[in-house]
Amino acid sequence: MDYTRRSQKVCKGSYHNRYRNKGILYSSFITLIVTVIAIKGFSRLVYAKVIGVCSNCHTMHYSQNGTQEPEWGDEGPYGYLLTKDCLGCHTATDGGTWKDPVTGAPIVYNLSEPSYGIEYNGVKQGLAGGNFYWVEHLDDTRGHNIFPGNPDDNLAIAPGEAWAYSPDGCGSNSCHSNLDRPFQASQSFDPIHGYLNGRYGCRGCHMVSGYNRFSQIKSWHHANDSGPVVDSKEEGWFRFLSGHYSGYEHGVAGIEDDDWQYTYSKSDHNEYLGKQVASGTGSFVSIGANTMTAFCCGCHGVFHVKKSAGEWIRHPVDRIIPITNGYELYTEYDPLVPVARPDLTGWTGPRATVNQGGTVQKDMVMCLSCHRAHGSPYPDILRWDYSTIMDEKGCITCHTTKK
Amino acid sequence: MAFDLLVRGVFSQIHNRFRAKSTVRRSVGIVLSLFLFLCYHPFHSKAKVTGLCSNCHTMHASQDGVTSPTNPALTKVDCIGCHSSTDTETIKYIGGNPGDPETSRVPIVNNVPEPSNPLAGGNFYYVKQNQTFGHNVIGIPDVNQDTLLPSAPGRPSTSGGTGCEPCHGKLQGGPGEDCGCKSCHLYVIENKRHHTNDDPDNNKIVEGPPWYRFLEQNHNYPDIGVHGIESSDWEKGINNTGYNDYNQYKGVDAIGSDPAGMNDNSMSDFCAGCHQGFHGINFTGGGTNSSPWFRHPAHIGLPSGGEFANYAIYDPNAPVARKNLTNYTTPASRTTVSASGYTGNDQVMCLSCHRAHASPYPDILRWDYSAIEANNGKTGGCLICHTGKK
């Protein structure tokens, strides 16, 4: 009897062990799956931090076999021992490449019209920031004039410039006025801003690999921006957008879409930080609040002036979208018309809804709600053709009652 | 009792005599040991040749009626002939067994098969496999003029014209020289450099003629050369556990001085004799000492803080130059690195990344640059200093 019971016990134990082993196997398998998914998910978040072979981007002496490699830029040597300048890495010769196949760099300038990205009325607009194709191939109204020696045909200085040149100001060729010419600090500002001398084009906005008297942050392409919310100098700020007057303690905060919105949906997009500003203020509003709008105001701050006699006299930015008059109908996030969020604390990724709300801080209209950052198929770098907006999309996304 | 005392006395005398003899023998032994220690201790001057004269020299290039090619200084063979080996060993013993007084110890820089333990300067075996793997020293069998480089990359335009080309543009050796080795190792017969005590003051630092590894910077008057501390085994044992007998290279502050840093006893400046365009603070942007670099710096202290602060344990795969060599005279003292700013003691130099002779990798690098990856869990190579990119 005892023997039988013992046998049963042993048998049960064996079964138990087998099941336990199976359980361990199952749990291990599940753990493995979860780990793989986690790693995959995590890797999707790590994208601006450059991964790969150093020689993809760098050359130590700008010399190989006594000359330069054909794929290098021909105006070197380049700073930071790079093989090319910014556009050299972020340009594609065709219209279909959105990411450099070797370096993984996002493409912001296609030499043929981009055939990818979100579209409006059948025209695709490239990645989230837009594309410089149109400003270079159509006209200067369709993008920021970043190309050296190619000033804007229509604008002497940035429209709405809040920091116009003065002898005691930034100096000539300020980044805040134009992006096509190297900055030279004024004599009085040289001790302060001289470290910015020579900046223009892309580096007028993207303070990439900046060297600042306030904090010597460099190598931002190598910064860990896994976020998910990128909101510090250690992370290189959102897309390397940082102030300089206030030091690198301030920059743009946001969530960086892993493929720069090559794919996009209501839940697959960048997220931008905003801060409700008081009406009537202008210029460098919210400079210390790390908002996307404040960064744009570095060059276009006058457009930030809000109301006069209770009426909007310029389209508001960094203002909460009202919950009345049809605005409340914009509830499902449209990546063609992004909004800024009042607080990204604790966010683990983009959200699919737009949450308007009266006096409670909620989502805001911002500069990028209507404009692209780099270039677009439309005048004024708009996300749509303003001259044809009547009853759908574009402005109507928020102004639903105007349908 | 008397007999007992007598016996005791005799034994005592015998004991004392033996003790005295023993003491003398012990003393002789100690002196002999000390002599041998001083003769063969690893820290003893390495460059000064020891051993039988006939190991290296022949008086008439003739033996038993058979003549051989003549060489300067009556040597049996030329540079390559002596410093090459047909096997994989990289230290060769001529004339006897290792440690014997009659034996000469020769570092091998050119093995016919792949060397088992390449020395610090690398091995010309590799340049014979691929011309981009080493300096194409004319005179080494199977090494020819580089077909990719008509002249040394980064060669200073100021380093003379065609008369300087044989050494500064190519490695053919100077006028009248018999091999390209002497383009760098300025072996001058009159100075008898192989027989010169390179550490007469016994401070372990080679800081006068014949200079560190016979590297003379200024071949005109005055005689100026590279300073350094020479590893006793040319770093052959570098893969051994606990090894720390690393070469130490002189660095000099290029900040605020002539970018070319001419004749400053540093290793980097010596390289600049042919590659000055890649050297020093040339090609920095935004003014002196400021970012960005346009070519990788050499002759500059490791920046303080940031990613460089994590390079604290000396890695012989990425050696640094030292502005002050006096603190590194013992092997144990050579195991640390201090990144303390552009004017700091420990500097990046040409040899931080490159071998002097040849390596298994393109551009004579110490590693395969095309395989160094940023932010991908890799280590080594560039990432030894650029720790933030691991």
Side-chain angles (χ1 to χ4, degrees), chain A residues 14 20 22 32 38 66 82 97 135 174 214 217 255 263-264 317 320 364 371 399:
Chain A
S14 293
R20 191 177 62 183
K22 273 193 172 181
L32 180 66
L82 291 165
T97 301
V135 68
S174 163
F214 303 98
I217 299 296
I255 296 176
T263 61
Y264 55 90
V317 287
I320 292 172
M364 286 155 275
H371 299 277
H399 298 276

Side-chain angles (χ1 to χ4, degrees), chain A residues 50-286:
Chain A
V50 170
I51 296 173
V53 177
C54 306
S55 58
N56 285 345
C57 303
H58 295 285
T59 171
M60 296 301 102
H61 305 293
Y62 191 61
S63 173
Q64 193 64 49
N65 300 330
T67 182
Q68 285 76 48
E69 295 283 23
E71 64 266 27
W72 295 354
D74 56 8
E75 296 177 344
Y78 299 98
Y80 312 102
L81 315 184
L82 291 165
T83 58
K84 308 169 186 172
D85 60 10
C86 305
L87 280 178
C89 282
H90 294 275
T91 294
T93 54
D94 63 358
T97 301
W98 61 278
K99 182 170 74 170
D100 186 279
V102 175
T103 66
I107 299 302
V108 298
Y109 179 37
N110 291 83
L111 299 187
S112 295
E113 185 165 14
S115 58
Y116 58 89
I118 197 168
E119 66 177 62
Y120 172 78
N121 280 356
V123 180
K124 296 182 183 296
Q125 301 189 20
L127 301 180
N131 197 284
F132 291 106
Y133 167 81
W134 294 283
V135 68
E136 184 67 359
H137 291 81
L138 290 184
D139 63 61
D140 284 358
T141 71
R142 298 170 199 251
H144 278 112
N145 56 320
I146 63 159
F147 296 96
N150 184 10
D152 195 294
D153 290 341
N154 307 302
L155 300 167
I157 61 170
E161 187 196 23
W163 197 247
Y165 166 74
S166 73
D168 295 324
C170 290
S172 58
N173 300 341
S174 163
C175 298
H176 301 281
S177 301
N178 282 286
L179 292 168
D180 68 308
R181 61 205 72 170
F183 168 65
Q184 176 60 54
S186 66
Q187 187 173 0
S188 58
F189 263 44
D190 192 77
I192 302 172
H193 286 160
Y195 66 92
L196 294 170
N197 286 345
R199 278 182 175 269
Y200 72 97
C202 308
R203 297 196 303 137
C205 295
H206 300 279
M207 301 296 286
V208 57
S209 294
Y211 184 91
N212 187 302
R213 72 188 180 93
F214 303 98
S215 90
Q216 299 176 3
I217 299 296
K218 296 193 287 185
S219 305
W220 280 9
H221 274 78
H222 292 285
N224 183 356
D225 62 347
S226 55
V229 178
V230 178
D231 58 355
S232 70
K233 62 183 180 184
E234 287 76 18
E235 297 168 297
W237 297 107
F238 178 85
R239 307 299 190 204
F240 312 135
L241 300 174
S242 171
H244 62 86
Y245 183 77
S246 53
Y248 284 113
E249 301 304 321
H250 297 295
V252 176
I255 296 176
E256 299 175 331
D257 185 64
D258 60 352
D259 63 1
W260 306 275
Q261 292 187 200
Y262 173 72
T263 61
Y264 55 90
S265 71
K266 63 182 179 182
S267 57
D268 179 14
H269 52 80
N270 289 328
E271 288 284 6
Y272 308 92
L273 183 67
K275 182 184 179 184
Q276 169 92 324
V277 294
S279 62
T281 57
S283 190
F284 291 108
V285 294
S286 303

Side-chain angles (χ1 to χ4, degrees), chain B residues 100-357:
Chain B
D100 291 346
E102 65 269 23
T103 304
S104 299
R105 189 163 165 258
V106 181
I108 301 302
V109 297
N110 176 46
N111 292 77
V112 175
E114 183 167 15
S116 53
N117 296 99
L119 304 181
N123 196 285
F124 290 108
Y125 162 83
Y126 299 106
V127 73
K128 290 179 286 188
Q129 315 308 311
N130 185 314
Q131 65 174 348
T132 71
F133 288 5
H135 277 114
N136 56 319
V137 177
I138 304 303
I140 298 177
D142 300 325
V143 174
N144 302 306
Q145 175 56 42
D146 198 309
T147 59
L148 297 171
L149 298 168
S151 189
R155 184 189 167 192
S157 60
T158 56
S159 66
T162 55
C164 303
E165 181 69 9
C167 289
H168 291 276
K170 299 178 172 61
L171 288 167
Q172 299 172 332
E177 300 287 4
D178 58 355
C179 77
C181 305
K182 295 175 189 175
S183 297
C184 295
H185 301 280
L186 284 173
Y187 171 84
V188 181
I189 298 170
E190 289 75 17
N191 289 347
K192 303 175 182 63
R193 301 210 163 184
H194 274 75
H195 292 288
T196 304
N197 182 357
D198 57 4
D199 185 23
D201 58 1
N202 290 316
N203 72 348
K204 313 297 187 300
I205 303 171
V206 180
E207 50 196 343
W211 307 109
Y212 176 83
R213 306 298 190 204
F214 309 138
L215 300 175
E216 185 185 54
Q217 284 172 302
N218 182 16
H219 48 72
N220 301 314
Y221 180 83
D223 189 11
I224 297 174
V226 176
H227 291 186
I229 299 174
E230 299 174 334
S231 165
S232 63
D233 67 347
W234 301 274
E235 297 187 2
K236 180 187 177 186
I238 207 161
N239 294 321
N240 297 338
T241 303
Y243 184 89
N244 54 16
D245 187 13
Y246 308 125
N247 285 326
Q248 296 292 290
Y249 309 91
K250 175 69 174 175
V252 172
D253 214 344
I255 298 293
S257 62
D258 176 6
M262 293 296 288
N263 299 329
D264 59 10
N265 306 118
S266 73
M267 189 70 239
S268 289
D269 182 62
F270 186 83
C271 303
C274 299
H275 308 286
Q276 184 188 344
F278 297 164
H279 175 62
I281 61 173
N282 287 335
F283 301 104
T284 58
T288 302
N289 309 346
S290 68
S291 181
W293 294 101
F294 283 75
R295 287 190 163 111
H296 196 287
H299 219 37
I300 298 289
L302 295 174
S304 59
E307 61 181 351
F308 302 100
N310 296 323
Y311 182 23
I313 305 299
Y314 190 90
D315 186 334
N317 291 313
V320 295
R322 319 279 198 177
K323 283 173 64 178
N324 185 348
L325 289 168
T326 57
N327 296 326
Y328 305 95
T329 54
T330 63
S333 65
R334 301 168 193 166
T335 57
T336 59
V337 174
S338 174
S340 51
Y342 288 162
T343 60
N345 184 63
D346 294 352
Q347 299 184 337
V348 61
M349 60 171 174
C350 307
L351 295 186
S352 296
C353 308
H354 299 278
R355 295 280 179 195
H357 298 152

